[in-house]
Amino acid sequence: MKTLRFYLLLLSWLSVVLCALPAEAARLLFWRFDPNQNQLLFTTDVGVQPTAQLISNPTRLIIDLPGIDLGRETVNQSFRGTVRGVRVGQFDDRTTRIVVELAPGYTMNPDKIQFRGVSPTNWTVSLPNPEQIGSQSRPTQPPVSTVPSLPPLPPPTNVPPPVASDRAATVEAIDLVNRRLVVRGNRPLAISSRWNDSAGLYELTIPNARLAERLQGPQLKPDSPIAELRVRQQDAQTVVLLLKPSPTFQIGSIDQRGSLLNIDLAIRTSTAVPVSPPDRTTPLPPRQTNPDSLPSIPNSRLRVVVDPGHGGEDYGAIGLGGLQEKEVVLDVSQQVAKLLEQQGINVTMTRDDDRFISLQGRTALANRLRADLFVSIHANSVDNRPEVSGLETYYFSNGSQLASIIHRNVLDTVDIRDRSVRQARFYVLRNSEMPAVLVEIGFVTGSEDSSNLRKPEHRRQLATAIARGVLEYVQRNLR
């Protein structure tokens, strides 16, 4: 049985210097400002905790991303309206800075600026409508205001860091409540996070904090979503948590609310570890004479649920150049649904636009409709491995033949590498009452696949092949 451990280490400054884990700068993968929604979105390749300030004359919202390397020259984007422009640049060696500048004569209420971490790597900043200076009934803002619930900007690099003082927060408790790790302090806490690849652990850093003398950690059970948890006082002002999720869980969203930090542990979806190696035992059905044909199923009463993965606030994987999984799979899924309907199949999509649907909601819909087949479409990702590309098709129990037929049809007509049919315990596969498959149509992080997935013709070919595979399975088994 795997040993589940909780470590509480109080280290001296010297031992921290000797044992500190190496810190490698992460990258800003994607950012976009939507002037219609007054929203800034950005994605990093590791978790980050932004810090922010609102500065006047002219009014600018300054957002710093500690530990993030832009890796390019400063980028400027201009707009018409009350938001004049957005600038993204390297503030110092370890900090990327995003500046949102308002038009002259405008300001905004800092109390209404909302930061939301969809996940540790995906953030949305919602801005209130800018107001003309002097038009507010309340007094105008002071020269500098700190955005609520976020810590102030770190000091400039040429200023010595402050020594520990009584103003530091005390981490009083760390509890595991269901699938949520709760860190409680006596004062507001900030956090930054990243994957520490060398240790195979998720690293959460709480600055300006110290551990309580009698801090107790949670008792980790065999079925806990956390396999290992270590807590240490890294220096006089910094607390570090090292967290290893259990194999079927992954780090979810991080919610910062004053003195509470909530780290959600989510069931793995498209990135789950397969329960078996690639399936080489299930023989592939023989190829069709004309693999480009789509057989019709006249007067069919069959119903297929097509499930585009992710959506809405859940971007899925973010690939090279900011390629978003949720957008790619929606396009392919819509085409699959249309092709199946043209051939006489009744199709229901779990989502047909950019909205969030829970995993439970997806399978509940298919089960409620008593669908004959469930086809979930995703795009894959792997960190720092652009050479990895290819097609993977998953099943859990009774979807083995459906997965094999779809997989072979895609390989027959689409220029894509073969990464095999596999068995896995994905939620949507385990909880669907009908034959169900999950098709990973390529890696948005792969240099080959990401280039292809941007092409409408490649997406069309994928959709046609998946639809042809479904129809072939129906002809063989359900007529």
Side-chain angles (χ1 to χ4, degrees):
M1 180 181 296
K2 179 182 292 185
T3 303
L4 303 175
R5 295 171 288 177
F6 174 83
Y7 291 95
L8 178 59
L9 305 177
L10 296 176
L11 303 178
S12 68
W13 172 259
L14 178 59
S15 63
V16 170
V17 172
L18 294 174
C19 303
L21 297 169
E24 298 180 359
R27 292 298 179 97
L28 178 65
L29 297 178
F30 164 82
W31 69 272
R32 176 170 63 88
F33 181 75
D34 183 349
N36 296 320
Q37 300 291 329
N38 262 5
Q39 279 191 341
L40 172 71
L41 301 94
F42 57 88
T43 300
T44 56
D45 60 355
V46 299
V48 65
Q49 175 62 51
T51 64
Q53 281 187 332
L54 192 66
I55 300 179
S56 62
N57 300 321
T59 302
R60 288 156 291 161
L61 175 63
I62 298 177
I63 302 169
D64 278 357
L65 309 180
I68 301 299
D69 180 12
L70 182 60
R72 59 185 298 184
E73 298 296 324
T74 298
V75 180
N76 291 278
Q77 187 173 7
S78 300
F79 300 97
R80 296 180 179 179
T82 53
V83 174
R84 186 167 69 176
V86 177
R87 182 171 68 256
V88 181
Q90 197 72 43
F91 173 59
D92 58 34
D93 292 341
R94 294 284 297 163
T95 307
T96 291
R97 171 166 286 185
I98 303 175
V99 180
V100 181
E101 184 170 341
L102 302 190
Y106 283 87
T107 187
M108 67 177 68
N109 186 345
D111 295 336
K112 295 183 179 180
I113 300 174
Q114 297 180 348
F115 280 71
R116 181 175 185 186
V118 178
S119 73
T121 60
N122 293 307
W123 287 81
T124 299
V125 184
S126 298
L127 308 180
N129 291 326
E131 304 168 329
Q132 284 189 314
I133 295 176
S135 64
Q136 306 96 324
S137 58
R138 58 182 175 81
T140 58
Q141 67 186 59
V144 178
S145 298
T146 302
V147 178
S149 79
L150 284 174
L153 287 172
T157 54
N158 59 348
V159 177
V163 297
S165 70
D166 291 338
R167 299 185 62 185
T170 299
V171 177
E172 297 179 330
I174 301 176
D175 299 310
L176 182 61
V177 182
N178 295 325
R179 297 174 182 169
R180 172 173 290 181
L181 185 68
V182 180
V183 181
R184 179 169 56 83
N186 66 341
R187 297 187 182 191
L189 301 173
I191 194 169
S192 63
S193 56
R194 70 182 185 101
W195 272 106
N196 189 301
D197 293 329
S198 62
L201 299 169
Y202 196 69
E203 181 178 319
L204 302 110
T205 301
I206 306 175
N208 197 29
R210 56 194 176 199
L211 296 171
E213 292 183 2
R214 297 184 179 181
L215 175 72
Q216 293 185 347
Q219 297 296 317
L220 301 181
K221 300 178 181 179
D223 60 350
S224 170
I226 298 176
E228 187 174 325
L229 178 63
R230 307 179 188 180
V231 181
R232 71 184 183 204
Q233 187 78 48
Q234 180 161 298
D235 58 39
Q237 300 182 93
T238 308
V239 171
V240 172
L241 283 72
L242 295 170
L243 167 63
K244 183 177 183 179
S246 297
T248 56
F249 286 84
Q250 61 187 6
I251 302 296
S253 62
I254 296 180
D255 184 21
Q256 177 186 23
R257 298 186 180 183
S259 61
L260 289 179
L261 294 174
N262 297 315
I263 300 99
D264 288 330
L265 284 302
I267 296 176
R268 286 185 178 270
T269 54
S270 61
T271 56
V273 177
V275 298
S276 72
D279 186 351
R280 301 296 186 185
T281 60
T282 303
L284 292 177
R287 298 186 177 188
Q288 290 179 303
T289 304
N290 181 6
D292 291 328
S293 64
L294 287 178
S296 62
I297 313 293
N299 302 319
S300 173
R301 295 182 179 180
L302 298 173
R303 180 169 297 278
V304 175
V305 171
V306 176
D307 172 44
H310 308 280
E313 299 168 347
D314 179 5
Y315 293 83
I318 304 295
L320 301 180
L323 185 64
Q324 295 184 13
E325 177 184 0
K326 69 171 185 175
E327 295 179 354
V328 172
V329 300
L330 178 59
D331 179 25
V332 173
S333 298
Q334 288 172 330
Q335 295 186 57
V336 170
K338 183 177 180 180
L339 290 168
L340 292 177
E341 288 173 340
Q342 290 173 348
Q343 303 308 118
I345 299 291
N346 297 300
V347 178
T348 298
M349 297 185 69
T350 56
R351 68 178 181 97
D352 57 6
D353 56 16
D354 187 18
R355 71 177 69 184
F356 173 77
I357 306 292
S358 68
L359 297 178
Q360 182 180 6
R362 296 167 192 264
T363 55
L365 172 65
N367 294 338
R368 184 171 66 250
L369 294 175
R370 297 186 177 179
D372 297 279
L373 300 175
F374 182 92
V375 180
S376 188
I377 299 177
H378 286 253
N380 224 328
S381 69
V382 60
D383 290 339
N384 303 317
R385 295 285 303 279
E387 74 278 9
V388 177
S389 290
L391 171 75
E392 296 177 353
T393 309
Y394 291 90
Y395 70 95
F396 175 59
S397 56
N398 57 355
S400 174
Q401 189 183 15
L402 175 61
S404 297
I405 292 176
I406 290 176
H407 192 84
R408 187 253 299 152
N409 271 276
V410 175
L411 294 177
D412 277 351
T413 57
V414 180
D415 182 16
I416 191 170
R417 296 172 184 259
D418 180 7
R419 288 180 56 85
S420 304
V421 175
R422 302 168 182 261
Q423 186 180 21
R425 294 178 54 84
F426 295 142
Y427 183 95
V428 294
L429 302 182
R430 288 186 291 114
N431 291 278
S432 296
E433 297 173 357
M434 67 293 301
V437 297
L438 189 149
V439 186
E440 297 275 10
I441 58 175
F443 284 73
V444 295
T445 54
S447 54
E448 289 182 15
D449 286 346
S450 63
S451 176
N452 287 331
L453 289 171
R454 293 179 184 277
K455 301 174 182 177
E457 176 60 20
H458 184 81
R459 296 186 189 185
R460 185 197 67 78
Q461 292 174 357
L462 285 168
T464 302
I466 293 171
R468 186 173 58 248
V470 172
L471 293 169
E472 182 180 335
Y473 178 86
V474 168
Q475 282 193 323
R476 289 173 178 270
N477 297 278
L478 299 181
R479 294 191 63 186

